[in-house]
Amino acid sequence: MSSGLVESSAPGKVILFGEHAVVYGQPAIAVPVSEVVATATVEPAPTGSGLTLVAADLGHRFTLSGAPRHDPLAVAARLTLDYLSASAPDATIIVRSSIPIAGGLGSGAAVSTALVRALASFIGHSLSRGEVSRLVFEVEKVHHGTPSGIDNTVIAYEQPVYFERGAPSGPERLSVAAPFTLLIIDSGLPSPTKQLVSRVRDRWLRDPEGSAALFRQIGDIAREARHHIETGAVDALGPLMDKNHTLLIELGVSSPTLNRLVDVARDAGASGAKLSGAGHGGSVVALIQAEKIDAAIASLRRAGAARVIHTTVE
Ligand code: PMV
């Protein structure tokens, strides 16, 4: 048990190719985004006070024993303690995050990852990335029902991944042969993952063959993109993003707001753009050359983007 303060963090993530289709067994590609971050700090508390969970940004404060059953922090803390066969320490865990909530950037998985790491380390355990990823997956299940596992994987491993649900060899690290720059554009609208995943499921139940054909085409894009990322053919990625976005529109998960931000990004010089994450709201990701970033950010802000960040994948 640590007698001092312990702090852990976890990055956000962005899905470059393959969202939704990944739930149906197709591959997807995601990269960590270290420009946004979740942190968890564990401070020792007086003997007998138990474990207190504080979501600083939301103004929530619970004891673990008094927390609502499905509170995400409480679920993550309980799963971690059960996994380590440990009892709740006398401590306070304070969680903060600069990742927009329901913004398609993995805020929930990042907060859980930071908490799991900090709590395990406070009680004297160092968990592997795989162990953290599996625990966070269990937390994600409580909130999303049928997550593919891509969010917990890319965030807990903190590296670009080529992800296939249930792949026996586990997640594959993607090697990036030539760096490329992305704009991540927050629409400011929430992206309710669970609802959008069930909208796609309804579509699939209504039209299994048509939906499966869309999933396959999206999977083919992810396979092709992997090859281009691993060989440094960055220019080929933009058109694949555009194609992936068109298929996501057909799948029914885009919205006028996201389509408009995609168009503005392309008009401002992005070589490709698509929605990222579950859709409806959340984020758009665009591939852009470094010298065009400032002008593109200005155009996107004028077009109503709530926030625009850029990140380099290398
Ligand atoms: O919106 P996010 O960041 O939670 O991403 C969801 C990605 C989906 O493919 C739509 C769902 C999943 O579990 O993979």
Side-chain angles (χ1 to χ4, degrees), residues 13-15 18-23 28 102-108 137 140 144 146-151 163 165 191-194 196-197 200 248 253 276-279 281-282:
K13 68 98 223 277
V14 69
I15 299 181
E19 47 275 274
H20 288 292
V22 68
V23 175
L105 300 183
S107 132
F137 182 56
E140 294 276 285
H144 298 319
T146 56
S148 64
I150 191 168
D151 281 19
F163 178 87
R165 188 175 190 168
S191 171
T193 305
K194 195 171 179 173
L196 287 149
V197 168
V200 173
L248 288 164
V253 295
S276 179

Side-chain angles (χ1 to χ4, degrees), residues 12 26 72 105 110 116-117 122 132 138 141-142 149 167 171 192 197 238 251:
Q26 296 293 331
L105 300 183
V116 167
R117 282 183 179 149
F122 185 82
V132 173
E138 294 305 314
K141 276 195 208 162
V142 173
V197 168
L251 208 50

Side-chain angles (χ1 to χ4, degrees), residues 144-282:
H144 298 319
T146 56
S148 64
I150 191 168
D151 281 19
N152 51 284
T153 301
V154 64
I155 288 171
Y157 283 83
E158 294 191 48
Q159 58 195 31
V161 294
Y162 179 82
F163 178 87
E164 261 175 295
R165 188 175 190 168
S169 52
E172 291 181 54
R173 194 206 150 94
L174 194 61
S175 66
V176 178
F180 55 92
T181 305
L182 301 171
L183 284 180
I184 298 168
I185 305 145
D186 178 3
S187 68
L189 287 178
S191 171
T193 305
K194 195 171 179 173
Q195 281 172 36
L196 287 149
V197 168
S198 81
R199 187 191 293 179
V200 173
R201 192 174 162 75
D202 291 344
R203 188 198 194 283
W204 177 68
L205 290 172
R206 267 195 327 271
D207 173 20
E209 277 172 26
S211 303
L214 290 175
F215 298 146
R216 266 197 309 278
Q217 290 177 69
I218 292 174
D220 287 343
I221 289 175
R223 280 180 271 269
E224 196 181 331
R226 173 195 194 161
H227 173 73
H228 295 316
I229 291 171
E230 290 183 337
T231 57
V234 171
D235 290 348
L237 296 176
L240 288 180
M241 289 172 118
D242 291 343
K243 235 164 113 179
N244 196 157
H245 186 68
T246 303
L247 292 165
L248 288 164
I249 293 175
E250 275 187 60
L251 208 50
V253 295
S254 194
S255 64
T257 302
L258 294 180
N259 294 342
R260 179 167 148 68
L261 291 172
V262 162
D263 288 344
V264 173
R266 288 177 189 149
D267 289 348
S271 49
K274 62 179 274 295
L275 74 82
S276 179
H280 175 71

